[in-house]
Amino acid sequence: MMAQISDPFNDTLKINASVITIGDELLIGQVIDTNSAWIAQELNKTGIWLRRRVSVGDSKEEIIRALDEESRDTPIVLITGGLGPTADDITKPVLCEYFGASLVMNEEALANVKAIFAKLNRPLIERNIKQAEVPDKCTVIPNNRGTAPGMWFEKEGKIFVSMPGVPNEMKGMMTDYVIPRLRQYFTSPFIDHRTLLTFGIGESFLAEAIKDWEAQLPGHLKLAYLPNYGMVRLRITGSDNDSDRLQETLNSEFQKLKTLVAGWLVASEDTTLAQVIGKMLQQNKQTVSTAESCTGGYIAHLITSVAGSSAWYKGSVVSYANEAKENMLGVQRSTLLYAGAVSEDTVKEMVRGVMAKMNTQYAVATSGIMGPDGGTAQKPVGTVWTAAGSRNNIVTAQFNFRHNRARNIEMTAYYALNLLRKLMVSEGSLLK
């Protein structure tokens, strides 16, 4: 008899959850909702699928409507936001009304508030003390990272969890309390992913290249395409009641996929270009520097966003003006006069100059016209020259982007990093 394999894409077999984020600041775009994305990832690790994410303002009617709608469709409703000490933080009173509860002082939460203010040597006012009040029909979730406690409710077989909107505080509650308790309530199948990163092939062409393989995937595996800035991530998601069987199936299909996309493969994990380059440099005890004109330091930003990049990245020269290219990087004035700032010769000299100044084994340089103005018939807006170099070789590439200024800058940065990666691979700086 064949063992039953759960299908993660059959709604009748899923354990679903919803997230409600509360706050006017989310609706007007003043604050970006990062909580929902993080919660989705953490729930997924434990076999719970996020069915829907809903943002509502600081409105009693909207919050109650969202609670009704989401609890009708899912057994788990996670709420973030609206637990602060100010008048616009209305989540607790609304929850009291929704669950027919009254606010009471929780002594453990009060002790936590007092301890925090004592440590900060700040006066404790009534507004702060009231943060320790909770509905009398909830189970209090301790907040080890802030003052507002979380709240766990159960109603008609559904679970409601209210947490602060502050990401660090919410993450602590989810990790320490909410997810472990949800595991006690629900038995879910094992869910796992395999992700790889490609560069240099469009989503549609990639889909065409792997269509036969994708068509034969088992029903409990699903492929997702995640395109961004010349890159496409491919993620296989699978679910099974047997963890070992799931791992075996995922590994087998992932190996087939890697073989099919080998010509565009950057990494066999969910990572970034900067992280890939950093790993290669670090394992070979090498360093890199950047010389940026049109990207204005954006490549440096991508690199320094990687924790530990100080071990392999020495710095950047943002030589926006021609004088900076001459005085800081040693670009010849004749090169700028006759070839122009946006030229192959200029980015080559920028690479040589920054490698010498920073004493690195590798460097990358960019110069281009990002727009909306500044283009000519010979060099229209979106014209970019990039160079990547080592002590032995310099490679260049010209691109003609057609986007707005911000996207042209981002595209240039990613294409320049990939040029550097390819140079390093050609010189043997392979990941072990």
Side-chain angles (χ1 to χ4, degrees):
M1 182 177 178
M2 184 176 293
Q4 182 180 4
I5 298 176
S6 62
D7 180 357
F9 316 112
N10 182 340
D11 281 339
T12 63
L13 299 177
K14 286 182 182 178
I15 297 173
N16 291 317
S18 293
V19 171
I20 301 172
T21 56
I22 298 173
D24 290 341
E25 66 277 9
L26 299 170
L27 297 183
I28 65 175
Q30 188 177 25
V31 173
I32 303 300
D33 171 27
T34 59
N35 284 346
S36 295
W38 186 88
I39 290 172
Q41 292 172 349
E42 296 306 305
L43 289 177
N44 199 237
K45 292 176 184 176
T46 197
I48 298 172
W49 293 78
L50 191 63
R51 186 178 189 275
R52 196 156 49 216
R53 305 189 306 183
V54 178
S55 290
V56 298
D58 298 303
S59 161
K60 182 181 77 170
E61 292 75 17
E62 291 300 322
I63 295 171
I64 290 176
R65 182 181 295 113
L67 290 170
D68 283 338
E69 291 177 354
E70 297 313 306
S71 62
R72 183 173 58 244
D73 294 336
T74 63
I76 304 165
V77 179
L78 303 178
I79 309 151
T80 69
L83 298 182
T86 56
D88 62 330
D89 294 306
I90 64 171
T91 299
K92 276 196 293 189
V94 173
L95 291 175
C96 277
E97 178 177 333
Y98 191 75
F99 292 104
S102 300
L103 283 176
V104 296
M105 183 64 66
N106 182 268
E107 294 302 325
E108 290 183 6
L110 179 59
N112 181 55
V113 172
K114 289 180 177 179
I116 289 174
F117 276 79
K119 185 176 181 180
L120 296 173
N121 195 27
R122 293 180 181 175
L124 185 63
I125 63 176
E126 182 65 22
R127 190 181 296 270
N128 304 123
I129 293 174
K130 288 184 73 65
Q131 284 202 280
E133 292 182 341
V134 297
D136 58 7
K137 292 190 177 179
C138 79
T139 300
V140 175
I141 303 174
N143 187 348
N144 298 321
R145 302 180 181 184
T147 56
M151 296 162 283
W152 177 292
F153 299 88
E154 296 182 27
K155 179 180 179 182
E156 298 175 356
K158 305 296 179 76
I159 292 171
F160 301 78
V161 182
S162 176
M163 297 170 287
V166 179
N168 184 52
E169 297 180 27
M170 176 276 297
K171 290 176 182 179
M173 290 185 187
M174 284 289 296
T175 301
D176 299 338
Y177 186 94
V178 177
I179 289 178
R181 191 163 180 183
L182 288 175
R183 285 180 179 145
Q184 295 174 4
Y185 275 68
F186 299 95
T187 301
S188 57
F190 296 98
I191 297 174
D192 205 353
H193 310 275
R194 296 291 184 274
T195 303
L196 59 78
L197 177 64
T198 67
F199 198 107
I201 180 172
E203 179 184 10
S204 58
F205 291 97
L206 192 58
E208 186 67 21
I210 63 175
K211 64 179 182 180
D212 293 336
W213 167 83
E214 186 177 5
Q216 60 80 47
L217 277 176
H220 64 293
L221 301 185
K222 185 176 181 180
L223 182 68
Y225 295 79
L226 308 169
N228 190 34
Y229 297 120
M231 298 170 282
V232 180
R233 282 180 173 80
L234 295 176
R235 186 192 67 230
I236 309 175
T237 298
S239 176
D240 196 337
N241 298 316
D242 186 316
S243 177
D244 291 338
R245 184 173 57 200
L246 175 61
Q247 299 306 314
E248 181 180 353
T249 305
L250 278 174
N251 290 338
S252 174
E253 295 299 336
F254 194 55
Q255 187 57 50
K256 295 175 187 176
L257 178 60
K258 287 194 293 184
T259 300
L260 290 171
V261 303
W264 310 283
L265 184 63
V266 172
S268 300
E269 58 182 321
D270 193 1
T271 188
T272 67
L273 271 175
Q275 288 173 319
V276 170
I277 289 167
K279 285 183 179 180
M280 290 192 286
L281 289 167
Q282 197 161 14
Q283 74 177 19
N284 291 288
K285 296 180 171 59
Q286 296 170 323
T287 56
V288 68
S289 54
T290 55
E292 302 186 58
S293 181
C294 61
T295 45
Y298 192 74
I299 298 175
H301 159 71
L302 293 175
I303 290 174
T304 56
S305 295
V306 178
S309 55
S310 58
W312 46 271
Y313 179 61
K314 287 202 172 180
S316 177
V317 174
V318 180
S319 52
Y320 207 61
N322 284 352
E323 293 89 341
K325 294 179 178 67
E326 287 186 61
N327 298 333
M328 302 181 72
L329 296 174
V331 176
Q332 298 297 309
R333 181 170 297 182
S334 59
T335 300
L336 295 168
L337 287 173
Y338 296 109
V342 182
S343 67
E344 181 178 29
D345 291 342
T346 293
V347 290
K348 281 184 174 180
E349 292 185 29
M350 290 171 69
V351 161
R352 295 189 189 101
V354 78
M355 274 196 296
K357 183 172 284 289
M358 300 284 185
N359 190 29
T360 58
Q361 287 77 41
Y362 286 96
V364 63
T366 62
S367 188
I369 305 164
M370 298 292 95
D373 304 315
T376 66
Q378 293 75 30
K379 297 177 182 179
V381 168
T383 302
V384 173
W385 274 100
T386 63
S390 68
R391 302 291 176 86
N392 304 314
N393 188 24
I394 296 179
V395 294
T396 61
Q398 182 184 10
F399 302 103
N400 297 100
F401 298 121
R402 52 181 174 78
H403 312 289
N404 61 32
R405 181 178 181 84
R407 187 167 175 84
N408 284 341
I409 290 171
E410 292 167 337
M411 293 289 287
T412 300
Y414 285 109
Y415 273 80
L417 283 173
N418 192 55
L419 186 66
L420 171 63
R421 181 192 66 84
K422 291 198 296 184
L423 171 65
M424 294 171 64
V425 169
S426 71
E427 295 191 342
S429 297
L430 297 173
L431 287 174
K432 297 174 183 176

